[in-house]
Amino acid sequence: MQTRVLTGITTTGTPHLGNYVGAIRPAIAASRRADVDAFYFMADYHALIKSDDPARIERSRLEIAATWLAAGLDPNKVTFYRQSDIPEIPELTWFLTCVTAKGLLNRAHAYKASVDKNNELGEDADAGVTAGLYMYPVLMAADILAFNAQQVPVGRDQIQHIEMARDIAQRFNHIYHREFFVLPEALIEEQVATLPGLDGRKMSKSYDNTIPLLAGGAKQLRETIMRIVTDSRAPGEPKDPDSSALFMIFRAFASEAESAAFRRALEEGIGWGEAKQVLYERIEADVAPMRERYESLIARPAAIEEILHEGARKARAIAAPKIAELRDAIGLRAMSSVSLHAGKAKLPSKGGKSPRFASFRDSDGSFRFRLFSSDGDELLLSKSFKDPKAAGAVQKKLKTLGGAAATLHTLSLSLVLELDGEPVANTPDYVDEPARDEALEYLREALDLLAAQESE
Ligand code: TRP
């Protein structure tokens, strides 16, 4: 079983060593694990909340995509896409908005911080606050819930947003009486140390103490490392590695053995200038090949665009059926199915026909069944079961499922029905897509009828 891990990368600013060590590197390592199904995306709709400078938005998206790819993200293994390429995300945002308590959003840290600041300054509480900032947590919930993500790796500052996503998901599930959404969990990497910056405080853009990852090349990297603040011990005097930002940064890149050797060198009195050169060379050994890949990617933006399109295609293959299911569940349905869906599905009149299952033994000895509509049309053919009990158990589940809860994926001109993430039955191939889509409505109606009968 794979765990679906999803995270968003806000496309503002230029990545620094702290971002690399704290987010990019561990996310790429996780994406290589066989038990992880990773979804990484650029949160460019979120970026619009922070910036209204089109050039900056454009530049940042390109740089960040190139950085992740250069750092080793394999788009064949990971679903890597742009939020703004997935129209199902804003669509879901609205569905979620309509079940989200305004009071919940009032309590969001980012919004509250703006209000507090305004109050301090004697301004109107909402001065300068856009509805975008206010809605930030709902958009983020849609990012996560559209894909049924189980784990969401984030920094501590984002934990509240994940809790809100859970709240919103639960509220939706409750209102519409089904477990539509998996409840996501925040994944906080405990081992990943936060990297100190030039002044020893946490490396952060807001402290202006960052070391750039790729921007400015090797020269800029070296020059910035030379500005790391140290104590005034002279060459020859023993240095304390454990109170040194320089050593902590080194450790984030080096092996145990390399760190032990560097520790010894400091304790034996290596000069700070020389120590910084050692640090620079160690980081540059990791960064140089990345920088080379980065330059070649940045030179071919069309190739990056292509990778992101492919990612969006993969992502939408999951989000689109999910949204179709939700539309149906909340009542945004084709008019043709209105009467059958209104309130509870209507039971066939006494003596009237109802959908029915027919079990049979296949030529290879396995057990299968078909589902026929009330009119006798074949709706589904099950997969083969070795055991008739297993086939019976699936029929039993289908009887109580109901149309809205059925997970149905399109497979060119047919549909696949899934139960608990496993494909269990197929429709026949239809002549064209409209016929297939009509059959989808039909099938949902049949499932509703079965469920209504079961609950009688
Ligand atoms: N808000 C996140 C941050 O600033 C970025 C983000 C947007 C995100 N959507 C997400 C993270 C969904 C995880 C899941 O870091």
Side-chain angles (χ1 to χ4, degrees):
M1 262 304 266
Q2 283 193 315
T3 302
R4 184 160 294 165
V5 174
L6 174 145
T7 198
I9 307 148
T10 307
T11 52
T12 44
T14 313
H16 55 68
L17 289 188
N19 300 136
Y20 176 66
V21 168
I24 302 174
R25 198 174 61 184
I28 291 175
S31 76
R32 294 193 172 130
R33 287 172 34 182
D35 59 343
V36 165
D37 178 19
F39 280 61
Y40 298 159
F41 69 96
M42 289 192 283
D44 50 0
Y45 278 150
H46 279 107
L48 294 178
I49 296 168
K50 295 186 187 154
S51 169
D52 56 10
D53 174 355
R56 205 175 129 203
I57 295 282
E58 181 189 26
R59 185 83 209 145
S60 175
R61 288 200 315 175
L62 176 66
E63 285 179 359
I64 287 176
T67 300
W68 279 72
L69 293 167
L73 189 74
D74 177 357
N76 293 315
K77 249 202 123 247
V78 181
T79 303
F80 183 51
Y81 55 99
R82 269 180 304 219
Q83 187 184 31
S84 64
D85 283 338
I86 316 294
E88 288 78 14
I89 292 175
E91 189 169 1
L92 178 56
T93 300
W94 183 250
F95 298 168
L96 299 179
T97 300
C98 294
V99 302
T100 300
K102 179 169 174 285
L104 180 79
L105 300 179
N106 289 340
R107 292 191 286 277
H109 298 321
Y111 169 68
K112 255 181 30 193
S114 299
V115 169
D116 290 349
K117 203 162 135 211
N118 281 331
N119 287 339
E120 240 169 69
L121 297 170
E123 302 265 7
D124 180 83
D126 281 329
V129 176
T130 65
L133 174 68
Y134 192 69
M135 295 296 300
Y136 188 114
V138 188
L139 176 57
M140 185 157 157
D143 291 334
I144 299 168
L145 301 177
F147 299 97
N148 276 340
Q150 292 156 299
Q151 294 188 343
V152 185
V154 283
R156 292 190 179 283
D157 61 321
Q158 296 293 316
I159 295 177
Q160 189 197 29
H161 290 146
I162 310 300
E163 282 166 359
M164 289 184 161
R166 289 173 66 90
D167 278 358
I168 295 169
Q170 266 170 323
R171 182 101 192 103
F172 191 98
N173 287 347
H174 175 75
I175 291 176
Y176 294 104
H177 310 297
R178 290 228 192 277
E179 301 303 304
F180 288 106
F181 298 122
V182 168
L183 303 185
E185 275 170 29
L187 188 68
I188 308 293
E189 283 265 12
E190 300 290 351
Q191 296 111 299
V192 176
T194 46
L195 214 58
L198 296 176
D199 56 0
R201 290 186 294 173
K202 176 182 180 230
M203 189 180 291
S204 161
K205 210 172 57 180
S206 43
Y207 294 146
D208 197 20
N209 65 354
T210 64
I211 303 173
L213 176 62
L214 297 167
K219 184 161 171 282
Q220 180 80 47
L221 178 64
R222 187 168 181 286
E223 280 172 12
T224 316
I225 286 173
M226 291 299 158
R227 287 186 8 235
I228 295 175
V229 174
T230 61
D231 61 29
S232 54
R233 280 169 223 266
E237 280 186 75
K239 321 262 181 311
D240 174 22
D242 296 313
S243 65
S244 152
L246 204 149
F247 183 65
M248 277 184 257
I249 299 172
F250 185 88
R251 249 195 346 208
F253 286 86
S255 67
E256 290 285 330
E258 288 169 318
S259 298
F262 194 44
R263 172 183 288 280
R264 230 174 301 119
L266 287 164
E267 285 166 352
E268 286 168 6
I270 184 177
W272 283 124
E274 205 183 319
K276 286 175 178 176
Q277 181 64 25
V278 173
L279 173 63
Y280 159 69
E281 283 168 14
R282 184 62 196 80
I283 295 177
E284 178 63 9
D286 280 14
V287 170
M290 259 168 70
R291 193 182 296 120
E292 213 171 288
R293 287 193 293 269
Y294 179 82
E295 299 300 344
S296 91
L297 280 160
I298 282 279
R300 289 175 299 133
I304 301 181
E305 186 70 25
E306 182 56 37
I307 289 171
L308 293 172
H309 271 302
E310 178 54 23
R313 197 193 55 73
K314 284 197 277 179
R316 293 193 68 195
I318 292 175
K322 176 110 202 140
I323 298 301
E325 180 191 356
L326 297 175
R327 289 182 68 95
D328 191 84
I330 64 186
L332 303 176
R333 300 173 189 135
M335 299 284 177
S336 55
S337 65
V338 159
S339 61
L340 278 142
H341 279 286
K344 256 171 92 183
K346 276 200 225 123
L347 286 179
S349 52
K350 280 224 165 61
K353 288 189 191 134
S354 57
R356 62 179 182 88
F357 288 103
S359 303
F360 65 101
R361 193 119 191 229
D362 217 342
S363 50
D364 63 1
S366 65
F367 297 87
R368 304 177 80 161
F369 60 83
R370 289 194 167 87
L371 173 64
F372 293 98
S373 75
S374 344
D375 297 332
D377 295 328
E378 177 176 333
L379 297 174
L380 284 175
L381 171 63
S382 79
K383 64 171 190 178
S384 299
F385 296 90
K386 281 209 194 66
D387 173 6
K389 277 203 198 114
V394 167
Q395 284 183 35
K396 205 164 160 211
K397 274 197 182 163
L398 291 180
K399 280 184 188 158
T400 56
L401 185 65
T407 308
L408 286 156
H409 296 295
T410 55
L411 190 72
S412 81
L413 292 178
S414 67
L415 300 158
V416 184
L417 177 85
E418 284 186 6
L419 269 186
D420 307 322
E422 293 278 331
V424 294
N426 277 65
T427 67
D429 270 332
Y430 296 98
V431 287
D432 53 19
E433 288 182 9
R436 180 198 65 199
D437 295 343
E438 199 183 325
L440 171 66
E441 292 297 327
Y442 225 60
L443 181 53
R444 288 198 196 277
E445 280 168 19
L447 292 170
D448 277 342
L449 282 168
L450 285 171
Q453 280 172 331
E454 280 298 295
S455 65
E456 273 298 284

